[in-house]
Every structure is written in structure tokens, then in C-alpha cells.
Amino acid sequence: MVKTELVRIGIDDAEKLWKMQVKAFEDLYKKYQDTETSPATEKVEKIIMRLEQPFTYYYFIVIDGIEVGAIRVVDKKEHGKSKRISPIFIMKEYRGKGYAQEAMRAVEAIHGENDWELDTILQEKGNCYLYEKMGYYQTGKTEEINERLTLVFYKKE
């Protein structure tokens, strides 16, 4: 069994994280042209700003010593406030191996199993399937970004 490890990302790794994120989301950006919302179009300064937030936890997803992706958790540690995953990504060459599921289980072990939310692209059925398999359900809220892309919102209680 391959061990999935989460390694907390510090400000020193902001550029590495940003480059990975841009590369991981470039195909979705090309497909949907969602300039305003795509992680592929974010500037490194936005990553740095998030890393400086006391309630943001970025982790590299590490498999056998290789950084295969990353996950960001927003956890304000307030009673009644949901934690949020935004974003999670696995680099193209490592997808389809269950690493995203493992990473989600690992952040739940750290931040608690209940009160989570996230959103994803409704048209990306594989993403929707992953989150539903992990116990998330659609809230009924959607947001149309453009004629090709609709965000769908999920919760896990």
C-alpha cells in the first residue's frame, strides 16, 4: 500500500505551488475559458496572500516522496462554520490512482470529518463522482460562470 502524506506548505514554496496549480488546471481552463475563476489564471500573489491567512492550510499531496498535487483547506475553527476545500488538484500524470481520495481522508483526519463544503465544475462528472463517493452531497446551489461552465456546490455534514 502506498502511503499518502500531506506536507504543510509554507510561504517559501509559494512559487512552486503556484506553478503546479497553473499546470494542473490548464486543460480545464482551455476547455472552459473561465478566466475569472480558473486556478490556472491566478497570480502567484493570490497564493501568497492565502498562505498568509491564519485560517488557510495548504498541503502538498506526497506519494513515495513525490509531490503529486496539493490541497487547500480553509478552517476558521469556529463552531458552526464549515471547513472548505478550495482547490484540490492532482498533476495530470498521477490522476486516476485514488490520490485525491486519500488526500481528502487525510485532511479530514487533521481538521475533522464533519462540516465540509466545496464546489466543482458540474460538467466534470468525474469530479462530481469523486466528491459524492467521499460523502458530499449537492446543496442545490449552482452558479453559471459562462455558457460552458457551471459551478455546483457540495456539503458534507
Side-chain angles (χ1 to χ4, degrees), residues 139-150:
T139 64
K141 179 183 172 192
T142 59
E143 183 182 336
E144 188 176 304
I145 302 301
N146 61 37
E147 64 281 352
R148 294 179 288 276
L149 186 153
T150 301

Side-chain angles (χ1 to χ4, degrees), residues 7-19 43-54 56-60:
V7 176
R8 183 88 188 262
I9 301 172
I11 207 87
D12 294 348
D13 284 321
E15 189 158 336
K16 182 198 317 187
L17 170 62
W18 173 69
K19 285 178 179 174
K43 304 285 182 236
V44 70
E45 290 79 15
K46 191 163 186 180
I47 300 268
I48 292 167
M49 180 200 73
R50 287 182 182 147
L51 281 163
E52 290 172 341
Q53 294 171 334
T56 283
Y57 302 81
Y58 268 110
Y59 302 95
F60 284 123

Side-chain angles (χ1 to χ4, degrees), residues 9 11 13 21 34 37 41 45 52 67-69 78 86 92 96 98 109 118 126-127 130 135 149 154:
I9 301 172
I11 207 87
D13 284 321
Q21 176 178 292
D34 53 324
T37 60
T41 62
E45 290 79 15
E52 290 172 341
E67 294 161 346
V68 301
E78 294 175 29
S86 175
K92 194 181 211 171
L118 55 81
N127 290 0
L130 165 67
L149 186 153
Y154 281 89

